[in-house]
């Protein structure tokens, strides 16, 4: 592998919905940039095949500069069935759509992994797994949720064949033939329970909640309902609508209020609307059950529980659908000196109106920005705001700084 050192105005780290959307806008504005990461990697490897998306199809579009390439236009171009709300979007269809988006707007994604990021002169130095070092004036980190998987402390060091996190699954075949317990009551837990059950795997669900909650089945709503609880891209109600439409206003709120809004628990664990009938009455459940301890006995996992009518549950494998929590210290590529310079709010970066950290030139977008810009950052719907505003900002400071370079938009993506 050749070692080389290059420079670029903007390095975008991550090629999921956020990175791809930003790169599409940077390209249209003629901002010199490179984008790194496996396109839609976590959607391909860390979400279970057959999953149905919870967000409405109309609210699950990446952001292109003219807001023209929606899931709807993708489906109509290919004569695929589509409805804005009444039918769910499958994981597979969403990945196809994102791939078509990438080919159209972001053709030069470089599928390599950032291994180190450190300060260097006026900018930042990014090192990659193929030995290349890139000096960038600006770095935008869009690495999503997967690196922030949250497992209970007691099980973090258990062998992977006995315990895993819901985010460890794309294909489910490693679980074939096993007896499995899924712990959790949110959509990842109920999705996995449904998919495992339908695969013929013996699965049960353990949750502290007394009852599972599911989103209501989508239906055409009356005009009164639409006024009382408008439907936003991230859920119903005026509060969520404001968060979805005005992330910049959320960013102006006091810190504690922003943190409350960003907390995934504020929206509550909620199963997807189309999964209820596939789980309730089909998958055995231990609800209102707390896990007091977990141990390995004779090659099986034993959960010591309270309230299941028996003191312990034994199984071949436990999947913890215990969510994600942004924590910058878990981003192994961040140099310790750089990490210490980033002002944080409960482990997440504190961001300016341009998604910039307290380290000049270092930006974060996507779920890691939720403590600053609110819950919309945890949804694909949230791609529009950072893509548009950050591209505009970077274009204003970087392109103007180079007036001699008269280039047409679309000419300045650096090809690998
Ligand atoms: C099970 C599940 C279901 C979900 N369902 C929905 C839904 O229905 N609707 C919705 O709106 N949202 C949903 N979400 C949330 C959604 O996944 C995230 O909001 C979204 O993926 C965030 O996009 P992103 O671009 O920030 O990150 P991701 O899509 O996670 O992409 C991260 C990118 O960063 C790259 N990367 C990571 N580390 C490095 C590195 N070191 N070097 C280079 N590249 C790197 C990856 O390869 C990838 O390209 C769901 C999440 C989960 C876990």
């Amino acid at each position: 592998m050749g070692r080389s050192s290059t420079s670029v105005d903007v390095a975008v780290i991550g090629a999921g919905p956020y990175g791809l959307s930003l790169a599409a806008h940077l390209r249209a504005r003629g901002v010199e940039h490179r984008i790194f990461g496996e396109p839609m990697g976590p959607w391909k490897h860390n979400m279970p095949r057959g999953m149905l998306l919870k967000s409405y199809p109309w609210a699950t579009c990446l952001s292109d500069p003219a807001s023209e390439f929606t899931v709807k236009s993708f489906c109509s171009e290919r004569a695929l069935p589509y409805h804005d709300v009444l039918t769910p979007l499958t994981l597979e269809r969403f990945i196809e759509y994102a791939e078509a988006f990438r080919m159209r707007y972001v053709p030069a994604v470089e599928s390599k992994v950032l291994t180190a990021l450190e300060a260097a002169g006026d900018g930042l130095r990014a090192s990659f797994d193929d030995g290349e070092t890139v000096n960038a004036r600006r770095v935008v980190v869009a690495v999503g949720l997967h690196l922030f998987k949250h497992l209970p402390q007691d099980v973090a060091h258990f062998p992977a064949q006995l315990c895993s996190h819901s985010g460890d699954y794309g294909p489910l075949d490693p679980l074939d033939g096993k007896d499995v317990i899924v712990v959790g009551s949110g959509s990842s837990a109920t999705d996995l329970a449904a998919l495992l059950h339908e695969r013929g795997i013996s699965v049960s669900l353990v949750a502290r909640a007394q009852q599972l909650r599911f989103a209501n089945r989508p239906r055409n709503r009356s005009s009164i309902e639409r006024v009382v609880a408008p439907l936003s891209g991230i859920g119903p109600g005026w509060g969520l609508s404001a968060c979805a439409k005005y992330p910049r206003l959320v960013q102006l709120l006091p810190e504690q209020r922003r943190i409350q809004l960003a907390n995934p628990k504020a929206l509550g664990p909620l199963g997807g609307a189309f999964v209820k009938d596939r789980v309730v009455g089909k998958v055995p459940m231990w609800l209102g059950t707390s896990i007091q301890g977990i141990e390995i006995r004779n090659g099986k996992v034993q959960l010591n529980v309270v309230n299941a009518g028996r003191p312990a549950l034994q199984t071949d494998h436990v999947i913890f659908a215990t969510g994600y929590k942004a924590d910058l210290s878990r981003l192994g590529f961040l140099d310790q000196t750089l990490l210490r310079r980033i002002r944080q709010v409960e482990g997440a970066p504190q961001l300016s109106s341009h998604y910039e950290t307290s380290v000049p030139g270092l930006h974060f977008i996507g779920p890691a920005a939720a403590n600053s810009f609110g819950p919309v950052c945890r949804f694909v719907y949230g791609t529009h705001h950072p893509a548009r505003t950050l591209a505009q900002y970077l274009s204003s400071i970087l392109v103007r700084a180079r007036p001699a370079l008269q280039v047409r938009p679309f000419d300045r993506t650096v090809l690998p």
Side-chain angles (χ1 to χ4, degrees):
M1 268 186 279
R3 295 191 166 264
S4 61
S5 178
T6 52
S7 53
V8 71
D9 278 351
V10 182
V12 180
I13 312 298
Y18 279 82
L20 290 174
S21 297
L22 175 64
H25 285 257
L26 290 174
R27 185 168 182 247
R29 287 181 174 276
V31 178
E32 184 197 42
H33 67 283
R34 290 171 69 179
I35 170 168
F36 304 95
E38 181 185 356
M40 300 298 281
W43 296 83
K44 292 176 186 161
H45 309 298
N46 306 104
M47 297 192 196
R49 305 263 161 85
M51 184 184 93
L52 301 176
L53 267 61
K54 257 67 64 194
S55 49
Y56 293 122
W58 71 266
T60 317
C61 306
L62 277 63
S63 177
D64 68 79
S67 299
E68 62 191 6
F69 193 58
T70 58
V71 176
K72 185 177 184 173
S73 61
F74 166 76
C75 289
S76 77
E77 274 176 17
R78 287 165 175 73
L80 297 167
Y82 173 88
H83 192 282
D84 269 348
V85 292
L86 296 183
T87 49
L89 190 59
T90 63
L91 174 63
E92 288 73 15
R93 179 62 38 84
F94 179 59
I95 293 173
E96 279 167 31
Y97 157 73
E99 180 58 13
F101 181 100
R102 185 191 69 73
M103 282 164 36
R104 200 173 284 211
Y105 298 100
V106 197
V109 178
E110 297 172 65
S111 197
K112 49 191 187 178
V113 176
L114 177 72
T115 52
L117 185 65
E118 59 202 320
D122 285 347
L124 293 148
R125 185 183 305 124
S127 307
F128 292 88
D129 60 347
D130 64 348
E132 185 182 358
T133 299
V134 177
N135 291 300
R137 296 167 78 188
R138 301 262 155 182
V139 170
V140 183
V141 180
V143 292
L145 283 169
H146 186 63
L147 302 172
F148 299 127
K149 284 188 299 188
H150 173 72
L151 268 178
Q153 231 176 5
D154 307 357
V155 300
H157 304 297
F158 273 36
Q161 74 268 24
L162 295 178
C163 281
S164 54
H165 186 273
S166 52
D168 294 334
Y169 296 95
L172 295 170
D173 34 306
L175 297 166
D176 283 343
K178 294 191 175 167
D179 180 80
V180 177
I181 288 180
V182 178
V183 177
S185 56
S187 57
S188 291
T190 47
D191 282 351
L192 270 173
L195 291 164
L196 292 173
H197 171 74
E198 287 159 7
R199 230 183 131 80
I201 293 174
S202 154
V203 57
S204 48
L205 197 123
V206 170
R208 247 194 327 242
Q210 297 288 347
Q211 247 193 330
L212 294 184
R213 290 173 59 237
F214 293 89
N216 294 326
R217 274 225 171 220
R219 60 189 165 80
N220 291 317
R221 302 161 83 231
S222 70
S223 35
I224 293 185
E225 282 175 306
R226 275 181 271 157
V227 171
V228 174
L231 208 53
S232 80
I234 62 172
W238 284 99
L240 287 181
S241 293
C243 289
K245 275 198 187 142
Y246 308 111
R248 174 74 179 103
L249 287 187
V250 174
Q251 197 255 344
L252 297 172
L253 293 172
E255 184 171 296
Q256 274 318 309
R257 185 73 192 112
R258 280 187 278 117
I259 292 172
Q260 276 169 1
L261 285 172
N263 184 348
K265 288 183 186 142
L267 299 177
L270 196 67
F274 293 91
V275 94
K276 182 175 180 182
D277 298 343
R278 296 162 56 200
V279 173
V280 176
K282 299 199 167 121
V283 173
M285 293 182 197
W286 309 97
L287 299 181
T289 299
S290 336
I291 298 172
Q292 300 293 303
I294 174 161
E295 50 193 303
I296 301 174
R297 289 205 171 190
N298 306 322
K300 297 214 171 230
V301 195
Q302 177 165 306
L303 298 178
N304 300 320
V305 292
V306 176
N307 250 357
R310 47 172 150 156
L313 303 169
Q314 276 206 348
T315 188
D316 298 329
H317 190 95
V318 183
I319 302 175
F320 287 89
T322 37
Y324 301 81
K325 185 177 181 327
D327 177 358
L328 291 187
S329 67
R330 296 182 62 193
L331 296 181
F333 54 74
L334 279 183
D335 160 72
Q336 288 302 309
T337 315
L338 192 62
L339 178 64
R340 278 194 294 275
R341 286 175 55 206
I342 303 175
R343 192 168 168 245
Q344 298 177 31
V345 191
E346 299 202 342
Q350 163 91 62
L351 301 172
S352 75
S353 57
H354 301 118
Y355 293 82
E356 191 167 6
T357 66
S358 47
V359 173
L362 177 60
H363 304 254
F364 276 81
I365 58 174
N371 276 356
S372 294
F373 286 88
V376 72
C377 302
R378 300 206 318 272
F379 296 83
V380 174
Y381 190 73
T383 53
H384 301 280
H385 186 261
R388 204 164 286 284
T389 57
L390 188 50
Q392 189 176 24
Y393 172 67
L394 294 176
S395 148
S396 72
I397 57 169
L398 295 170
V399 177
R400 248 189 254 150
R402 297 187 164 177
L405 277 173
Q406 291 298 317
V407 289
R408 283 178 290 121
F410 287 94
D411 278 352
R412 300 199 57 216
T413 300
V414 176
L415 291 163

